[in-house]
Amino acid sequence: MGHAVAQSDAARMSFTGRHLTVDWIDAHRSVYDAIWLWDNSAGHRNPSNGQRLIDATDLPTDPLIEAVDSQAKVLVIRWAGSDLISQYDLGWLRNNCYCRLEPAPGGKQVVLWRAAEAPWLTRVDANEVWQSEQVRHTWLTAVALQGIAFLKRAPAREGIVLELARLVGFVRETNYGRVFNVRTLPDPNNLAYSNKGLALHTDNPYREPVPGLQMLHCISSSDTGGDSTFADGFAVADSLRCDEPDSFSILSQVPVRFSFRDRTADLSSARPLIQLDLHGRLEAIHYNSRSIAPLRLPPSDMVPFYRAYRSFARRLHTPEFLFQTRLEIGDVVLFDNRRVLHGRTEFSPAANRHLQGCYLDRDGLFSNIAVLERSLETQGRWTS
Amino acid sequence: MGHAVAQSDAARMSFTGRHLTVDWIDAHRSVYDAIWLWDNSAGHRNPSNGQRLIDATDLPTDPLIEAVDSQAKVLVIRWAGSDLISQYDLGWLRNNCYCRLEPAPGGKQVVLWRAAEAPWLTRVDANEVWQSEQVRHTWLTAVALQGIAFLKRAPAREGIVLELARLVGFVRETNYGRVFNVRTLPDPNNLAYSNKGLALHTDNPYREPVPGLQMLHCISSSDTGGDSTFADGFAVADSLRCDEPDSFSILSQVPVRFSFRDRTADLSSARPLIQLDLHGRLEAIHYNSRSIAPLRLPPSDMVPFYRAYRSFARRLHTPEFLFQTRLEIGDVVLFDNRRVLHGRTEFSPAANRHLQGCYLDRDGLFSNIAVLERSLETQGRWTS
């Protein structure tokens, strides 16, 4: 005693042909199946990038452990009827123990927010995200956790949105371009390009895939009206699940078709308003009154669906969830378009309101957070 | 009699407060709920792009039909306690009847194929897809239906893949670039950039979203080896569903984590190997032995999962499904990366094999098919 022991120190090991049992020094017990061990033999992976060198067809049906040996921090397994000698780092084995289902690697806990918490959403200086890895990490992590974050004092000129996008990930080009300009146009192909108010919505649920992130940069604003509105769709769905479980169930199980059509595009895709993953956790919100195609549901489902749909819509627009704010010139908002709904209040048709925006894929955000964490960890400025 | 009657001619109409019943001249009966009718009132949509002008919060709880009138091809509804007068085109009403669940608009029936059918997969001349809308439609529709199609005789120079991509949709940029070059590199960051054979796989299941389409253009080929392999993952999954329903069930219900990490990227995403939509129909296949992270499943699921996984892998590589072919210089293959698996045989490290590729989003494909159909229809050269 007296010196720290690593969690990955094994106190005791035992095995049968099909299982290896490790009792760790902190009293946790791991049981590994032989086929999992064969599959994860260190020699079956490229040491530099971790890619597996064998295919699932190369796995034997029923590999049997013949002998287990452990030296220093390495475990060695010999197999019955095979020349393979498998090695494992003990720390790696401990980290990949599957006896308890721990949070998925890289998976962070989402933080729900309501309008009352909105004043505390992350706001950082645009110039600092360029200069400081730490500030950049703060900004991107806020988008991952709260689904939204703001930048202040970005230069108010066109193209800035693409320069900032490079810090986040890769731009998702669509028929609206790599960049789109939200301002009043005569006879617009989309209501967004008018002076009308827009109720809360997510963008482009008629696309496949639906754009993951959206960035909007305020280049000029109107004197009155044209405020921005936001709501955390996950928080709304979460409250619906508690208060009206039947409505929640309908909205998460009934796919709805969204469509958009103009001269050069004809887009259509079906998805539920509340999308769950295989564990029943919230995965995405798809909500856009403007682009829902005429509903086609079994007749017995139609009226119950409308009841649930209106209920979600009403809840969304209550002061509990709806956060109204004003984007000033130079402000930038980055949000998860499959979680946070956005909208705006009406403004004067004469106003020169101009937002420039772009869509981005989500994987770039998570990848950049992880790479920043590696770098900050090396500098001793970040720990998980 | 004696002249054709349109399906959208209504023979008889009746209503109660909450329902409108229409008996059409072809004997089909449609029953519309009042709330659906209110929602779809012609005045609630922008006439030029069809976007809805009202939000779900604007819908009354329980609108009641007061009077129904029909003149020529237009139906008019007046509502109890409201000034709204709703108009509907009868043909539109008929097309949007939801009493029978017809195939979704734009939804096409997928055509499964096995190796024996592969010689009949679509192959068209690359020069013609530029010049002819009809040939372009043939090419893109084949990708939508069979998940794969080939072009012959494209110019064998770099950048062609991006020129062709413009005919399909929008390029999905990733950390591998807008374009990637599949050729042998010293110390590659990905096994794809070596001379090793690659078992059948889908690309990048560790991304979110997973790239939808992949285009590969053969610029130079090796004399021996380096053949391409393909299999229709939907056909394999379909056969598994029939023969081994338990394996199918495990692979469609257990999310698996895929990951990739190099100096500048750190990507990780969990998804089932066989992804189903809410109707239980095949939506995607995610299969990549190289990038599956060490499995973390409840211990009781581990061995059954491996049994199902190996079973899928073995089936995939049987001559029934595996199609081996050779990309000649100037050949281009475009395939659905969430359905069709691809791989290659090993080739000499000295060979100068070079494929140039890119990823694309899927919605562009479907949008371009629909826009081409509009144009061909106008020319009288296509009917659905």
Side-chain angles (χ1 to χ4, degrees):
Chain A
M1 297 304 169
H3 61 278
V5 289
Q7 269 198 337
S8 59
D9 281 347
R12 213 170 66 87
M13 278 186 239
S14 62
F15 69 97
T16 64
R18 296 200 176 89
H19 296 99
L20 167 72
T21 302
V22 183
D23 287 295
W24 304 97
I25 205 140
D26 66 351
H28 178 66
R29 166 176 287 191
S30 300
V31 182
Y32 303 93
D33 288 290
I35 192 164
W36 183 97
L37 288 165
W38 179 293
D39 186 27
N40 289 292
S41 183
H44 289 160
R45 285 180 175 269
N46 179 313
S48 75
N49 61 19
Q51 282 190 299
R52 200 176 276 94
L53 300 165
I54 61 165
D55 189 73
T57 45
D58 300 323
L59 295 171
T61 315
D62 189 16
L64 295 175
I65 301 172
E66 193 172 74
V68 175
D69 193 16
S70 136
Q71 295 167 340
K73 298 281 189 193
V74 175
L75 180 95
V76 180
I77 294 182
R78 285 165 205 278
W79 301 91
S82 163
D83 290 338
L84 180 70
I85 294 172
S86 299
Q87 298 206 6
Y88 311 86
D89 175 83
L90 278 179
W92 186 94
L93 271 183
R94 175 63 208 254
N95 285 337
N96 287 283
C97 164
Y98 53 91
C99 293
R100 287 183 301 192
L101 274 184
E102 286 151 53
K108 301 197 191 288
Q109 195 67 40
V110 153
V111 181
L112 303 183
W113 56 270
R114 301 183 180 212
E117 280 99 51
W120 293 279
L121 290 172
T122 298
R123 286 165 183 77
V124 296
D125 190 281
N127 303 297
E128 287 185 42
V129 298
W130 264 293
Q131 285 154 22
S132 156
E133 286 193 339
Q134 197 117 42
V135 176
R136 199 147 75 235
H137 181 261
T138 302
W139 175 46
L140 299 181
T141 306
V143 177
L145 301 185
Q146 280 94 18
I148 187 169
F150 297 86
L151 297 182
K152 307 295 291 177
R153 290 175 289 281
R157 56 180 159 78
E158 301 202 9
I160 283 293
V161 81
L162 284 183
E163 292 178 34
L164 284 166
R166 262 181 237 126
L167 304 179
V168 184
F170 295 100
V171 167
R172 166 89 188 276
E173 186 175 358
T174 72
N175 53 305
Y176 302 124
R178 274 172 70 75
V179 166
F180 50 83
N181 289 289
V182 186
R183 59 183 154 196
T184 308
L185 291 180
D187 189 25
N189 74 333
N190 194 303
L191 293 177
Y193 307 144
S194 73
N195 67 314
K196 283 193 186 302
L198 296 175
L200 288 167
H201 62 281
T202 60
D203 267 13
N204 299 12
Y206 42 76
R207 259 181 229 294
E208 203 298 294
V210 176
L213 300 175
Q214 180 167 175
M215 180 142 56
L216 289 171
H217 171 216
C218 180
I219 294 177
S220 74
S221 64
S222 65
D223 291 339
T224 54
D227 277 10
S228 293
T229 53
F230 298 99
D232 181 357
F234 281 6
V236 178
D238 191 64
S239 80
L240 190 74
R241 172 145 53 180
C242 298
D243 299 345
E244 297 175 54
D246 291 347
S247 292
F248 182 88
S249 164
I250 289 171
L251 297 184
S252 61
Q253 283 165 31
V254 174
V256 162
R257 184 157 292 275
F258 295 90
S259 33
F260 177 83
R261 187 185 154 121
D262 71 0
R263 202 175 53 77
T264 62
D266 199 327
L267 297 153
S268 177
S269 193
R271 30 183 53 99
L273 266 55
I274 299 176
Q275 184 181 320
L276 306 179
D277 72 7
L278 287 166
H279 300 294
R281 292 175 304 208
L282 290 166
E283 193 167 63
I285 303 294
H286 305 292
Y287 183 91
N288 192 317
S289 292
R290 284 173 290 147
S291 59
I292 289 192
L295 290 166
R296 303 174 80 86
L297 306 176
S300 61
D301 293 355
M302 190 61 79
V303 169
F305 178 85
Y306 270 106
R307 195 178 306 127
Y309 175 35
R310 287 184 74 254
S311 183
F312 183 83
R314 271 201 318 272
R315 193 171 285 255
L316 193 58
H317 288 90
T318 56
E320 183 177 0
F321 295 107
L322 189 147
F323 165 50
Q324 181 165 337
T325 185
R326 201 176 159 70
L327 292 186
E328 303 295 344
I329 293 174
D331 283 1
V332 177
V333 57
L334 175 62
F335 58 94
D336 184 335
N337 180 57
R338 296 189 221 157
R339 168 180 171 185
V340 169
L341 298 96
H342 67 291
R344 69 165 181 237
T345 63
E346 188 158 2
F347 54 95
S348 149
N352 186 26
R353 184 178 186 269
H354 181 195
L355 303 183
Q356 198 166 56
C358 70
Y359 299 121
L360 298 107
D361 290 314
R362 292 175 80 217
D363 54 1
L365 175 79
F366 296 112
S367 177
N368 276 318
I369 291 173
V371 171
L372 281 170
E373 285 175 3
R374 270 194 236 157
S375 165
L376 292 170
E377 212 165 345
T378 311
Q379 302 163 37
R381 293 162 69 193
W382 189 83
T383 45
S384 54
Chain B
M1 299 304 171
H3 61 278
V5 288
Q7 269 199 336
S8 59
D9 282 345
R12 213 169 68 85
M13 279 185 239
S14 60
F15 69 96
T16 64
R18 295 200 176 87
H19 296 100
L20 166 72
T21 303
V22 182
D23 287 294
W24 303 97
I25 205 138
D26 67 350
H28 179 65
R29 165 175 287 189
S30 299
V31 181
Y32 302 93
D33 287 290
I35 192 165
W36 185 97
L37 288 165
W38 179 293
D39 186 28
N40 288 292
S41 183
H44 289 158
R45 285 181 175 268
N46 178 313
S48 75
N49 62 20
Q51 280 188 300
R52 200 177 276 94
L53 301 165
I54 61 166
D55 189 72
T57 45
D58 301 323
L59 294 172
T61 315
D62 188 16
L64 294 175
I65 301 173
E66 193 172 73
V68 175
D69 193 17
S70 137
Q71 295 167 340
K73 298 284 188 190
V74 176
L75 181 95
V76 179
I77 293 182
R78 283 165 206 279
W79 302 90
S82 163
D83 290 338
L84 180 69
I85 295 172
S86 299
Q87 298 206 6
Y88 311 86
D89 176 84
L90 278 179
W92 186 93
L93 272 183
R94 175 61 209 255
N95 285 337
N96 287 284
C97 164
Y98 53 90
C99 294
R100 288 183 301 193
L101 274 183
E102 285 151 53
K108 301 196 191 288
Q109 195 65 44
V110 152
V111 181
L112 303 182
W113 55 270
R114 302 183 178 211
E117 279 98 50
W120 292 280
L121 289 172
T122 297
R123 286 166 181 78
V124 295
D125 191 282
N127 303 297
E128 287 184 43
V129 298
W130 263 293
Q131 285 153 22
S132 155
E133 286 193 338
Q134 196 117 43
V135 175
R136 199 146 77 235
H137 180 260
T138 301
W139 176 45
L140 299 181
T141 307
V143 176
L145 301 184
Q146 279 94 19
I148 187 170
F150 298 86
L151 297 181
K152 308 294 291 179
R153 289 176 290 281
R157 56 181 160 78
E158 300 202 8
I160 283 294
V161 82
L162 284 183
E163 294 180 33
L164 284 166
R166 263 182 236 127
L167 304 179
V168 183
F170 294 100
V171 166
R172 167 88 189 275
E173 187 174 358
T174 72
N175 54 306
Y176 301 124
R178 275 174 67 76
V179 165
F180 49 84
N181 290 288
V182 185
R183 57 184 156 197
T184 308
L185 293 179
D187 190 24
N189 74 333
N190 193 303
L191 292 176
Y193 307 143
S194 73
N195 67 313
K196 282 195 189 299
L198 296 174
L200 288 167
H201 62 282
T202 60
D203 267 14
N204 300 12
Y206 41 76
R207 259 181 228 294
E208 201 300 293
V210 175
L213 300 175
Q214 180 168 176
M215 181 141 59
L216 290 171
H217 171 215
C218 179
I219 293 177
S220 74
S221 63
S222 66
D223 291 340
T224 54
D227 278 9
S228 293
T229 52
F230 298 99
D232 181 358
F234 281 7
V236 178
D238 190 65
S239 81
L240 190 74
R241 170 145 55 179
C242 299
D243 299 345
E244 296 175 53
D246 291 348
S247 293
F248 182 88
S249 165
I250 289 171
L251 297 183
S252 60
Q253 283 164 29
V254 174
V256 163
R257 185 157 290 276
F258 295 90
S259 34
F260 177 83
R261 187 184 154 121
D262 70 1
R263 201 176 52 77
T264 62
D266 199 326
L267 297 153
S268 176
S269 193
R271 30 184 52 101
L273 267 55
I274 299 177
Q275 183 180 321
L276 305 180
D277 71 10
L278 286 167
H279 300 293
R281 291 175 305 207
L282 290 166
E283 192 166 65
I285 303 295
H286 305 291
Y287 183 92
N288 191 318
S289 292
R290 283 173 290 150
S291 58
I292 289 191
L295 289 167
R296 301 175 81 86
L297 306 177
S300 61
D301 294 355
M302 191 61 81
V303 168
F305 178 86
Y306 269 107
R307 195 179 306 128
Y309 175 36
R310 289 184 72 254
S311 183
F312 184 83
R314 271 201 318 272
R315 194 172 286 255
L316 193 59
H317 288 89
T318 56
E320 185 178 358
F321 294 107
L322 188 147
F323 165 49
Q324 182 166 336
T325 185
R326 203 178 158 67
L327 292 186
E328 303 294 345
I329 292 174
D331 284 1
V332 176
V333 58
L334 175 63
F335 57 95
D336 185 335
N337 181 57
R338 296 190 221 156
R339 168 180 171 186
V340 169
L341 298 95
H342 67 290
R344 69 165 182 236
T345 62
E346 188 158 3
F347 54 97
S348 150
N352 184 27
R353 185 179 185 269
H354 180 195
L355 302 184
Q356 198 167 55
C358 69
Y359 299 122
L360 298 108
D361 290 314
R362 291 174 81 219
D363 54 0
L365 175 79
F366 295 112
S367 177
N368 276 318
I369 291 172
V371 170
L372 280 170
E373 285 175 3
R374 272 193 234 157
S375 164
L376 293 170
E377 213 165 345
T378 311
Q379 302 163 37
R381 291 161 72 192
W382 188 83
T383 45
S384 55

